[in-house]
Amino acid sequence: CFQLYGYCYQDSNDIPDTLTTITELGSPLEMIQLLQTSWEDRFRICLSLVRLLHYLAHSPLGSVTLLDFRPRQFVVVDGELKVTDLDDASIEESSCTSNSDCFMEFPARNFTLPCSVEGRCQSMNEKRNLYNAYRFFFTYLLPHSAPASLRPLLDKIVNATGNHNKHGNAKYLLFYPSPSVNSEFTQKCVKSANTQYRRVPEAFIPDENYRCWPSYHHKGCLLSVFDVNEAIEICDSYSQCKAFVLTNQTTWTGRQLVFFKMASNHIVPDPDKITYVKVTD
């Protein structure tokens, strides 16, 4: 949730019992903009959402559901998703006398949960949060342009939240699929291509940019890679790519950021970078 830095309680002539809070600043969540970012960044947002779902399901107050679970209730802070509006949060689990009382209705599908011996619908708050996370976030952000090697695992994650199967709970999402996806994506290995590249240490190509998608730089092609072999594979896949530059910057998963260039006519010294130039016949 949002970081609370302070609050002030005072009586006002116009509004009694006034409470003013000071919280961290976040960016409004724009789904269209998110779909234009790298899959790695979108996965980070989904992972932070999974952590939030797990906390809501096991909060000190009990299982909490967000009755107004929509993108406008969230913001992005340093790449992490945080909820800002808790006005519609509830800790009340629905009472029941039979399973038919535990009916959840959504626009696309409906679910019926078991009625416990205590007369409460089992995990209804958690299940409601999970399905809303599926229909508003996971179904858009996870599969779109995901690495091919991770798609079977991502399908399991999406199905677990969308179908309410036996793995449809926040603990499963937090402790099994999410670290597995993170590990596989970070440690991805690719075979070296046959193309030859000349290594130029402590060098950078300041110009010769071209745009690619998705990119961490809006005026150039800046992507994350596991190693040089993956950078070679990416460069070989773009007809305009004639060189690439390894930076000393990494993403949140530890993958290295690489600039891909359309020429190498102008190379300048830079102690923090290594340039690879494609060797032509």
Side-chain angles (χ1 to χ4, degrees):
C1 296
F2 238 24
Q3 179 68 40
L4 177 66
Y5 291 130
Y7 63 91
C8 178
Y9 177 79
Q10 66 183 44
D11 287 330
S12 171
N13 294 330
D14 299 326
I15 305 176
D17 301 330
T18 302
L19 177 65
T20 302
T21 60
I22 304 173
T23 62
E24 61 185 327
L25 182 65
S27 302
L29 190 67
E30 300 290 345
M31 192 61 66
I32 294 179
Q33 292 181 2
L34 282 181
L35 291 173
Q36 295 173 345
T37 62
S38 69
W39 183 86
E40 192 174 2
D41 285 347
R42 282 183 273 118
F43 173 68
R44 183 182 184 183
I45 287 176
C46 290
L47 183 57
S48 62
L49 178 56
V50 168
R51 295 192 183 106
L52 173 63
L53 293 173
H54 183 264
Y55 176 80
L56 293 176
H58 304 87
S59 81
L61 299 176
S63 182
V64 180
T65 186
L66 301 179
L67 299 177
D68 190 12
F69 197 116
R70 285 181 286 182
R72 69 182 184 184
Q73 306 290 356
F74 298 85
V75 295
V76 177
V77 180
D78 296 329
E80 302 278 342
L81 191 71
K82 298 193 176 185
V83 63
T84 62
D85 190 351
L86 295 175
D87 291 346
D88 296 311
S90 173
I91 60 173
E92 295 294 329
E93 293 277 17
S94 299
S95 59
C96 59
T97 56
S98 65
N99 291 349
S100 60
D101 296 328
C102 302
F103 181 74
M104 290 196 302
E105 186 175 6
F106 295 96
R109 62 185 309 171
N110 305 320
F111 301 96
T112 300
L113 299 179
C115 180
S116 69
V117 294
E118 294 82 10
R120 295 289 179 181
C121 296
Q122 292 184 15
S123 304
M124 177 169 276
N125 286 346
E126 181 180 13
K127 296 290 188 180
R128 181 183 288 111
N129 289 340
L130 283 170
Y131 189 76
N132 281 326
Y134 158 80
R135 70 191 186 107
F136 287 119
F137 292 95
F138 297 150
T139 189
Y140 298 108
L141 300 182
L142 279 179
H144 182 56
S145 71
S149 61
L150 298 179
R151 285 172 188 166
L153 187 57
L154 295 175
D155 287 341
K156 292 182 181 179
I157 296 175
V158 174
N159 288 336
T161 56
N163 297 327
H164 280 183
N165 59 26
K166 64 179 181 179
H167 298 307
N169 58 69
K171 183 177 181 180
Y172 167 80
L173 294 179
L174 182 63
F175 292 108
Y176 173 64
S178 299
S180 299
V181 171
N182 190 13
S183 176
E184 286 194 39
F185 185 62
T186 303
Q187 301 179 17
K188 176 186 175 185
C189 291
V190 295
K191 295 182 179 179
S192 179
N194 295 324
T195 310
Q196 292 187 348
Y197 286 81
R198 177 169 56 90
R199 185 178 184 270
V200 186
E202 299 185 355
F204 179 61
I205 303 173
D207 302 312
E208 308 296 350
N209 292 314
Y210 67 90
R211 294 183 179 181
C212 67
W213 186 90
S215 174
Y216 288 91
H217 194 283
H218 67 283
K219 292 184 178 180
C221 187
L222 180 63
L223 304 174
S224 69
V225 303
F226 173 67
D227 58 10
V228 174
N229 288 338
E230 186 174 358
I232 291 175
E233 183 185 66
I234 293 174
C235 190
D236 286 346
S237 67
Y238 288 98
S239 59
Q240 63 267 54
C241 183
K242 304 301 180 185
F244 59 87
V245 181
L246 298 180
T247 73
N248 61 353
Q249 297 175 297
T250 59
T251 65
W252 68 281
T253 60
R255 287 168 62 87
Q256 194 169 10
L257 289 177
V258 176
F259 278 105
F260 293 88
K261 304 288 185 174
M262 61 190 304
S264 57
N265 298 324
H266 181 48
I267 299 179
V268 299
D270 191 322
D272 297 325
K273 297 179 178 63
I274 302 174
T275 294
Y276 285 80
V277 178
K278 186 178 291 187
V279 177
T280 57
D281 296 333

